[in-house]
Amino acid sequence: MPLSMATEGEENVIKKVGGREETRKFLEKLGFVTGGTVTVVSQINGSLIVNVKESRVAIGRDMANKIMV
């Protein structure tokens, strides 16, 4: 399922990062790599705040839809 549908506070393992090449590279630089863990902290107005690699990152719903957990 896409990260945008994940339950808040639940740790998820990233199965796949989709999208175009530059989108995947951008997400990898933020720490969204296959096999890594990600936790949704909160969802506000379609944006998500997530914990990834011990940091908090805010991403839009369109980016979150490209991250499969």
Side-chain angles (χ1 to χ4, degrees), residues 23-43:
T23 304
R24 287 195 309 268
K25 294 275 187 203
F26 175 74
L27 290 170
E28 283 178 14
K29 287 180 183 177
L30 289 176
F32 295 97
V33 293
T34 304
T37 59
V38 62
T39 305
V40 176
V41 177
S42 66
Q43 295 187 33

Side-chain angles (χ1 to χ4, degrees), residues 10-28:
E10 186 177 301
E11 191 172 278
N12 297 283
V13 176
I14 299 170
K15 305 272 192 247
K16 178 184 170 192
V17 179
R20 296 189 317 215
E21 182 65 27
E22 61 259 16
T23 304
R24 287 195 309 268
K25 294 275 187 203
F26 175 74
L27 290 170
E28 283 178 14

Side-chain angles (χ1 to χ4, degrees), residues 1-12 38-51 56-57 59 61 64 69:
M1 76 176 161
L3 181 60
S4 59
M5 295 180 68
T7 307
E8 288 182 26
E10 186 177 301
E11 191 172 278
N12 297 283
V38 62
T39 305
V40 176
V41 177
S42 66
Q43 295 187 33
I44 304 166
N45 296 332
S47 295
L48 283 81
I49 298 175
V50 298
N51 274 341
R56 284 195 177 183
V57 178
I59 58 172
R61 182 170 296 281
V69 293

